[in-house]
PDB file of all heavy atoms in Angstrom:
ATOM      1  N   ASP A  32      12.344  14.765 -14.631  1.00 97.00           N
ATOM      2  CA  ASP A  32      11.836  14.582 -15.800  1.00 97.00           C
ATOM      3  C   ASP A  32      10.407  15.100 -15.812  1.00 97.00           C
ATOM      4  O   ASP A  32      10.038  15.888 -16.721  1.00 97.00           O
ATOM      5  CB  ASP A  32      12.027  13.219 -16.398  1.00 97.00           C
ATOM      6  CG  ASP A  32      13.465  12.815 -16.768  1.00 97.00           C
ATOM      7  OD1 ASP A  32      14.299  13.739 -16.726  1.00 97.00           O
ATOM      8  OD2 ASP A  32      13.722  11.640 -17.001  1.00 97.00           O
ATOM      9  N   LEU A  33       9.723  14.485 -14.844  1.00 96.00           N
ATOM     10  CA  LEU A  33       8.257  14.840 -14.558  1.00 96.00           C
ATOM     11  C   LEU A  33       8.094  16.296 -14.398  1.00 96.00           C
ATOM     12  O   LEU A  33       7.156  16.946 -14.844  1.00 96.00           O
ATOM     13  CB  LEU A  33       7.691  14.033 -13.517  1.00 96.00           C
ATOM     14  CG  LEU A  33       6.240  13.901 -13.356  1.00 96.00           C
ATOM     15  CD1 LEU A  33       5.774  13.050 -14.502  1.00 96.00           C
ATOM     16  CD2 LEU A  33       5.805  13.262 -12.006  1.00 96.00           C
ATOM     17  N   ALA A  34       9.172  16.962 -13.588  1.00 95.00           N
ATOM     18  CA  ALA A  34       8.965  18.311 -13.486  1.00 95.00           C
ATOM     19  C   ALA A  34       9.617  19.213 -14.524  1.00 95.00           C
ATOM     20  O   ALA A  34       9.360  20.439 -14.507  1.00 95.00           O
ATOM     21  CB  ALA A  34       9.686  18.648 -12.098  1.00 95.00           C
ATOM     22  N   GLY A  35      10.193  18.549 -15.515  1.00 95.00           N
ATOM     23  CA  GLY A  35      10.893  19.317 -16.573  1.00 95.00           C
ATOM     24  C   GLY A  35      12.064  20.038 -16.181  1.00 95.00           C
ATOM     25  O   GLY A  35      12.382  21.157 -16.515  1.00 95.00           O
ATOM     26  N   LEU A  36      12.888  19.386 -15.327  1.00 95.00           N
ATOM     27  CA  LEU A  36      13.972  20.138 -14.777  1.00 95.00           C
ATOM     28  C   LEU A  36      15.161  19.201 -14.870  1.00 95.00           C
ATOM     29  O   LEU A  36      15.120  17.985 -14.795  1.00 95.00           O
ATOM     30  CB  LEU A  36      13.851  20.343 -13.242  1.00 95.00           C
ATOM     31  CG  LEU A  36      12.885  21.557 -12.819  1.00 95.00           C
ATOM     32  CD1 LEU A  36      12.784  21.582 -11.345  1.00 95.00           C
ATOM     33  CD2 LEU A  36      13.432  22.860 -13.285  1.00 95.00           C
ATOM     34  N   PRO A  37      16.484  19.815 -14.875  1.00 96.00           N
ATOM     35  CA  PRO A  37      17.675  18.856 -14.718  1.00 96.00           C
ATOM     36  C   PRO A  37      17.609  18.393 -13.233  1.00 96.00           C
ATOM     37  O   PRO A  37      17.158  19.039 -12.351  1.00 96.00           O
ATOM     38  CB  PRO A  37      18.804  19.728 -14.936  1.00 96.00           C
ATOM     39  CG  PRO A  37      18.294  21.099 -15.416  1.00 96.00           C
ATOM     40  CD  PRO A  37      16.801  21.123 -15.076  1.00 96.00           C
ATOM     41  N   LYS A  38      18.159  17.190 -13.079  1.00 96.00           N
ATOM     42  CA  LYS A  38      18.212  16.535 -11.837  1.00 96.00           C
ATOM     43  C   LYS A  38      18.820  17.331 -10.746  1.00 96.00           C
ATOM     44  O   LYS A  38      18.350  17.399  -9.607  1.00 96.00           O
ATOM     45  CB  LYS A  38      19.002  15.118 -11.910  1.00 96.00           C
ATOM     46  CG  LYS A  38      18.724  14.224 -10.839  1.00 96.00           C
ATOM     47  CD  LYS A  38      19.390  12.894 -11.194  1.00 96.00           C
ATOM     48  CE  LYS A  38      20.938  13.041 -11.466  1.00 96.00           C
ATOM     49  NZ  LYS A  38      21.602  11.683 -11.508  1.00 96.00           N
ATOM     50  N   ALA A  39      19.832  18.016 -11.050  1.00 96.00           N
ATOM     51  CA  ALA A  39      20.516  18.892  -9.952  1.00 96.00           C
ATOM     52  C   ALA A  39      19.576  19.863  -9.376  1.00 96.00           C
ATOM     53  O   ALA A  39      19.760  20.269  -8.253  1.00 96.00           O
ATOM     54  CB  ALA A  39      21.688  19.512 -10.614  1.00 96.00           C
ATOM     55  N   ASN A  40      18.630  20.342 -10.256  1.00 97.00           N
ATOM     56  CA  ASN A  40      17.755  21.420  -9.697  1.00 97.00           C
ATOM     57  C   ASN A  40      16.820  20.857  -8.554  1.00 97.00           C
ATOM     58  O   ASN A  40      16.475  21.689  -7.614  1.00 97.00           O
ATOM     59  CB  ASN A  40      16.980  22.087 -10.799  1.00 97.00           C
ATOM     60  CG  ASN A  40      17.820  22.803 -11.741  1.00 97.00           C
ATOM     61  OD1 ASN A  40      18.925  22.512 -11.972  1.00 97.00           O
ATOM     62  ND2 ASN A  40      17.130  23.837 -12.414  1.00 97.00           N
ATOM     63  N   VAL A  41      16.457  19.580  -8.740  1.00 97.00           N
ATOM     64  CA  VAL A  41      15.659  19.023  -7.665  1.00 97.00           C
ATOM     65  C   VAL A  41      16.483  19.110  -6.227  1.00 97.00           C
ATOM     66  O   VAL A  41      15.865  19.498  -5.365  1.00 97.00           O
ATOM     67  CB  VAL A  41      15.378  17.525  -7.939  1.00 97.00           C
ATOM     68  CG1 VAL A  41      14.516  16.856  -6.791  1.00 97.00           C
ATOM     69  CG2 VAL A  41      14.549  17.499  -9.227  1.00 97.00           C
ATOM     70  N   HIS A  42      17.726  18.838  -6.445  1.00 97.00           N
ATOM     71  CA  HIS A  42      18.598  18.930  -5.133  1.00 97.00           C
ATOM     72  C   HIS A  42      18.810  20.401  -4.794  1.00 97.00           C
ATOM     73  O   HIS A  42      19.144  20.539  -3.565  1.00 97.00           O
ATOM     74  CB  HIS A  42      19.839  18.214  -5.496  1.00 97.00           C
ATOM     75  CG  HIS A  42      19.813  16.737  -5.235  1.00 97.00           C
ATOM     76  ND1 HIS A  42      19.611  15.883  -6.366  1.00 97.00           N
ATOM     77  CD2 HIS A  42      19.629  15.863  -4.278  1.00 97.00           C
ATOM     78  CE1 HIS A  42      19.548  14.610  -6.085  1.00 97.00           C
ATOM     79  NE2 HIS A  42      19.523  14.559  -4.777  1.00 97.00           N
ATOM     80  N   TYR A  43      18.628  21.305  -5.611  1.00 97.00           N
ATOM     81  CA  TYR A  43      18.585  22.640  -5.207  1.00 97.00           C
ATOM     82  C   TYR A  43      17.627  23.112  -4.217  1.00 97.00           C
ATOM     83  O   TYR A  43      17.694  23.780  -3.240  1.00 97.00           O
ATOM     84  CB  TYR A  43      18.857  23.607  -6.376  1.00 97.00           C
ATOM     85  CG  TYR A  43      18.735  24.964  -6.083  1.00 97.00           C
ATOM     86  CD1 TYR A  43      19.854  25.666  -5.582  1.00 97.00           C
ATOM     87  CD2 TYR A  43      17.589  25.739  -6.293  1.00 97.00           C
ATOM     88  CE1 TYR A  43      19.816  27.023  -5.253  1.00 97.00           C
ATOM     89  CE2 TYR A  43      17.496  27.257  -5.949  1.00 97.00           C
ATOM     90  CZ  TYR A  43      18.620  27.784  -5.367  1.00 97.00           C
ATOM     91  OH  TYR A  43      18.664  29.157  -5.077  1.00 97.00           O
ATOM     92  N   TYR A  44      16.303  22.661  -4.731  1.00 97.00           N
ATOM     93  CA  TYR A  44      15.144  22.953  -3.834  1.00 97.00           C
ATOM     94  C   TYR A  44      15.072  22.086  -2.687  1.00 97.00           C
ATOM     95  O   TYR A  44      14.530  22.496  -1.640  1.00 97.00           O
ATOM     96  CB  TYR A  44      13.838  22.870  -4.833  1.00 97.00           C
ATOM     97  CG  TYR A  44      13.766  23.931  -5.897  1.00 97.00           C
ATOM     98  CD1 TYR A  44      13.988  23.564  -7.155  1.00 97.00           C
ATOM     99  CD2 TYR A  44      13.577  25.242  -5.530  1.00 97.00           C
ATOM    100  CE1 TYR A  44      14.059  24.602  -8.161  1.00 97.00           C
ATOM    101  CE2 TYR A  44      13.524  26.290  -6.579  1.00 97.00           C
ATOM    102  CZ  TYR A  44      13.818  25.947  -7.763  1.00 97.00           C
ATOM    103  OH  TYR A  44      13.693  26.759  -8.793  1.00 97.00           O
ATOM    104  N   PHE A  45      15.220  20.760  -2.837  1.00 97.00           N
ATOM    105  CA  PHE A  45      15.265  19.933  -1.622  1.00 97.00           C
ATOM    106  C   PHE A  45      16.593  19.261  -1.554  1.00 97.00           C
ATOM    107  O   PHE A  45      16.971  18.423  -2.392  1.00 97.00           O
ATOM    108  CB  PHE A  45      14.216  18.764  -1.870  1.00 97.00           C
ATOM    109  CG  PHE A  45      12.779  19.425  -2.064  1.00 97.00           C
ATOM    110  CD1 PHE A  45      12.248  19.722  -3.363  1.00 97.00           C
ATOM    111  CD2 PHE A  45      11.934  19.670  -1.012  1.00 97.00           C
ATOM    112  CE1 PHE A  45      11.010  20.301  -3.448  1.00 97.00           C
ATOM    113  CE2 PHE A  45      10.586  20.240  -1.113  1.00 97.00           C
ATOM    114  CZ  PHE A  45      10.164  20.648  -2.382  1.00 97.00           C
ATOM    115  N   LYS A  46      17.211  19.368  -0.520  1.00 97.00           N
ATOM    116  CA  LYS A  46      18.585  18.987  -0.263  1.00 97.00           C
ATOM    117  C   LYS A  46      18.693  17.456  -0.416  1.00 97.00           C
ATOM    118  O   LYS A  46      19.588  17.043  -1.257  1.00 97.00           O
ATOM    119  CB  LYS A  46      19.111  19.329   1.173  1.00 97.00           C
ATOM    120  CG  LYS A  46      20.514  19.183   1.352  1.00 97.00           C
ATOM    121  CD  LYS A  46      21.136  20.273   2.155  1.00 97.00           C
ATOM    122  CE  LYS A  46      22.666  20.219   2.200  1.00 97.00           C
ATOM    123  NZ  LYS A  46      23.343  20.309   0.990  1.00 97.00           N
ATOM    124  N   THR A  47      17.721  16.589   0.105  1.00 97.00           N
ATOM    125  CA  THR A  47      17.793  15.200  -0.169  1.00 97.00           C
ATOM    126  C   THR A  47      16.480  14.731  -0.610  1.00 97.00           C
ATOM    127  O   THR A  47      15.443  15.401  -0.538  1.00 97.00           O
ATOM    128  CB  THR A  47      18.097  14.497   1.079  1.00 97.00           C
ATOM    129  OG1 THR A  47      17.088  14.664   2.032  1.00 97.00           O
ATOM    130  CG2 THR A  47      19.413  14.989   1.798  1.00 97.00           C
ATOM    131  N   LYS A  48      16.446  13.548  -1.267  1.00 97.00           N
ATOM    132  CA  LYS A  48      15.114  12.909  -1.699  1.00 97.00           C
ATOM    133  C   LYS A  48      14.268  12.776  -0.523  1.00 97.00           C
ATOM    134  O   LYS A  48      13.095  12.946  -0.636  1.00 97.00           O
ATOM    135  CB  LYS A  48      15.559  11.503  -2.150  1.00 97.00           C
ATOM    136  CG  LYS A  48      14.546  10.717  -2.872  1.00 97.00           C
ATOM    137  CD  LYS A  48      15.000   9.463  -3.390  1.00 97.00           C
ATOM    138  CE  LYS A  48      13.943   8.601  -3.836  1.00 97.00           C
ATOM    139  NZ  LYS A  48      14.571   7.275  -4.418  1.00 97.00           N
ATOM    140  N   LYS A  49      14.770  12.484   0.609  1.00 97.00           N
ATOM    141  CA  LYS A  49      13.917  12.344   1.804  1.00 97.00           C
ATOM    142  C   LYS A  49      13.165  13.536   2.152  1.00 97.00           C
ATOM    143  O   LYS A  49      12.020  13.577   2.596  1.00 97.00           O
ATOM    144  CB  LYS A  49      14.937  11.919   2.951  1.00 97.00           C
ATOM    145  CG  LYS A  49      14.125  10.797   3.896  1.00 97.00           C
ATOM    146  CD  LYS A  49      15.271  10.262   4.865  1.00 97.00           C
ATOM    147  CE  LYS A  49      14.709   9.175   5.770  1.00 97.00           C
ATOM    148  NZ  LYS A  49      15.733   8.321   6.401  1.00 97.00           N
ATOM    149  N   ASP A  50      13.867  14.702   2.052  1.00 97.00           N
ATOM    150  CA  ASP A  50      13.315  16.033   2.421  1.00 97.00           C
ATOM    151  C   ASP A  50      12.184  16.262   1.410  1.00 97.00           C
ATOM    152  O   ASP A  50      10.995  16.825   1.765  1.00 97.00           O
ATOM    153  CB  ASP A  50      14.331  17.100   2.236  1.00 97.00           C
ATOM    154  CG  ASP A  50      15.317  17.293   3.238  1.00 97.00           C
ATOM    155  OD1 ASP A  50      15.170  16.528   4.248  1.00 97.00           O
ATOM    156  OD2 ASP A  50      16.459  17.924   3.047  1.00 97.00           O
TER     157      ASP A  50
END
Side-chain angles (χ1 to χ4, degrees):
Chain A
D32 290 349
L33 196 68
L36 289 172
K38 193 173 56 169
N40 291 31
V41 175
H42 282 100
Y43 173 75
Y44 291 107
F45 300 92
K46 194 139 183 60
T47 66
K48 188 180 171 181
K49 217 167 188 167
D50 287 347

